[in-house]
Amino acid sequence: MSTLEDPSLERHFRGHRDVVTAVDFNPNMTQLASSSLDNNLMVWNFKAKMRAYRFVGHKDAVNCVKFSPSGHLVASASRDKTVRLWIPSVKGESTVFRAHTANVRSVDFSSDGQALCTASDDKTIKLWTVHRQKFMFSLLQHSNWVRTAKFSPDGRLVVSGSDDKTVLLWDLQSRQCLHTFHETGGFVNCVDFHPSGTCIASACTDGGVKIWDIRMNKILQNHTAHAGSVNKVSFHASGNYLLTGSDDGTLKIFDLLEGRIFYTLHGHQGPVTSVMFSRDGQYFASGGHDEQVLVWKTNFDAECEANIKSKRKRDRSVEGPTIDDIHPRQDRISPRPVSSENTIDARQEIRRLEDVTQGITNVMPTEQLGTSKSGSTMTSGAGDSSAPMTQQLDSTLSPELSDFVQHVASQLDILTQTVSLLEKRMTMTENQLKECMNSQRKET
Amino acid sequence: MSNPATDPKPVEDAQGDGRWMSLHNSFLHDAKEKEPEVVLIGDSLIALMAQSRLWKEMFEPLHCLNFGIGGDNTQHVLWRVLNGELDQVQPKVIVLLVGTNNHSHSADQVAEGVLAVTRAIQEKQPASHLIVIGLLPRGQQPNPLREKHCAVNKRLAEELEGRAMTTFLRVEDKEFMSAEGTIPRNVMYDFLHLTMDKGYQKLCEPLLEEIQNLLGTYVKVESTSFDTSSMAGEFDSAGPN
């Protein structure tokens, strides 16, 4: 019987100059990426002596950042309507593509690293290839800003959340919406898939966190513990814990097997705007309004990990977790003391943990050299390779011409959407025709 | 003599709980945090709109912020505008309704007060479109205040006519009344404030139409079909429903 330890604060990164909007660990745990309303990305290195990188390039707030499954690329989504793919090194090469006609709120990689999905205020979700950033298709049904869209672990589904108060589940094969979950409490800020792919969590502006079963299309758990809007949710690798960050200034960890809060963590001043578990669940990171990025060690999952490994050995022939694994079980004899939720206050610790402030290297695309931004040393970026037309033209054309080009680009966007709707219509017509012919055949 | 209706002042904390200032600060906080496309500001008629049935269905999806405070006069709203409530936002539309509480001021003074607020708003947010709502009638029977409001509205209509980025929205008095000119309680339950369903419906329907025209979007109440804001939205993919 191992002793369970409480989560502890490990690192404290400072460098952003505005609200931190997203955080993500790379798969081999050597780096942490964060995005901010200050228009920049930061990539923090865990190795003590290494400097952090500040990637400059986006022209407006960066809303989301994600490492590719291989860790070789970082994708960022911005209010400037573009998505950038960066190589997280000191050279910081990136390519940029105009993804939407409005603010891009989120970007996610499929687990095979081949596809990207982006969600935007233009009410659409778009799927792209990672290689060459080719547009594949749009998912159109939301009637308001889409704040979040994530791939399922098996890559066959996408779940999205929107200000139209719905969470939609999409099938990527048929490009149809499979199910609509109604979140009556408010806008949906964030959604995430359970590692088993059988259920999803949603974070709502009314402070609620819901777990929905996507096979039975019903709600499994509804937690109302947060006192303010819940901004982000992240499942632990075991699927037994859910991490949330809220406007009420706290992070909470929910025990999904017991169906209650396990920990409440204080560390940020003001709203917590981003949270994320590492891929193996041993660490988690958070970012807030206070411009800080905090890295915590989970600790309480040590028992979990051992259990997962032994369980895998035993149940290799049996199917994955079933619905019973998620339901709170009242009569379960808990190995840990059934105390009320644990509160961790790391605010004092932050002051002690005066982080050996990493030097920050500004990494910029070549066009911007010469315009110094901060005191730290500058290194030249290798420039954007194979950047799409609009980006290269911007720097050399007159404003009227570049306006015209942007207008044409947005018209093309609209045309693309129209064509995809026409395609859909045609497919539906063909299906109906097939049905008609079949029923006719049956009658004769 | 200077016009007290145009002299920006906060509301004095006569009761001792500092509520007005707390509300103002809460609005400042919201202005920084939220991303509104529409901001509504004014007195209780604006404030209580957020409790109406229509608010959740029709206004919330438009990303609205409600900065109404009950009892506010023109000079109080003016103070709030000048003290930061419209500083951090970038709304596409701003809606203003204030003036019914300026009891001790003449019609001309009230009109001047409203106009002063419009000028302050447009200085802070020149790129937003401003909708000024005309004062509503009050009192069960015809009375001098109704006439005062008519005079204010007449003056506002004249001054705002032709001003760029400005709409003067006047809902006809008779909309709120029966044939004999009495206001029924199911429209204004205390002959001043609108009821949550019937009363606000009369005000909000034309208001929403104007807002949606300006925003260029259409909110679907029973949202089932595919809805996009581009011209592609014209193709309604007619499903088996």
Side-chain angles (χ1 to χ4, degrees), chain A residues 75-88:
Chain A
S76 60
S78 167
R79 183 176 280 276
D80 66 8
K81 308 175 194 172
T82 68
V83 169
R84 275 185 187 250
L85 282 174
W86 312 76
I87 297 181

Side-chain angles (χ1 to χ4, degrees), chain A residues 207-209 222-228 230 246 248 250 252 254 261 264 341:
Chain A
V209 177
N222 182 4
H223 298 277
T224 52
H226 274 296
V230 186
S246 160
D248 66 9
T250 67
K252 282 187 195 286
F254 291 87
I261 306 174
T264 296
E341 102 200 32

Side-chain angles (χ1 to χ4, degrees), chain B residues 12 132 134 187 233:
Chain B
E12 274 177 38
V132 181
V187 173

Side-chain angles (χ1 to χ4, degrees), chain A residues 284-300:
Chain A
F284 56 95
S286 62
H289 257 230
D290 55 8
E291 304 167 10
Q292 324 260 37
V293 174
L294 303 178
V295 180
W296 312 72
K297 191 155 197 298
T298 311
N299 291 327
F300 59 78

Side-chain angles (χ1 to χ4, degrees), chain A residues 15-32:
Chain A
H16 275 301
R17 298 159 183 153
D18 207 330
V19 175
V20 178
T21 50
V23 288
D24 194 33
F25 288 91
N26 79 348
N28 51 19
M29 293 301 292
T30 53
Q31 294 174 324
L32 177 75

Side-chain angles (χ1 to χ4, degrees), chain A residues 340-357:
Chain A
S340 55
E341 102 200 32
N342 306 305
T343 307
I344 309 282
D345 193 327
R347 283 172 292 197
Q348 294 295 339
E349 226 170 295
I350 290 176
R351 272 171 238 144
R352 281 193 304 110
L353 206 90
E354 221 20 83
D355 203 292
V356 178
T357 41

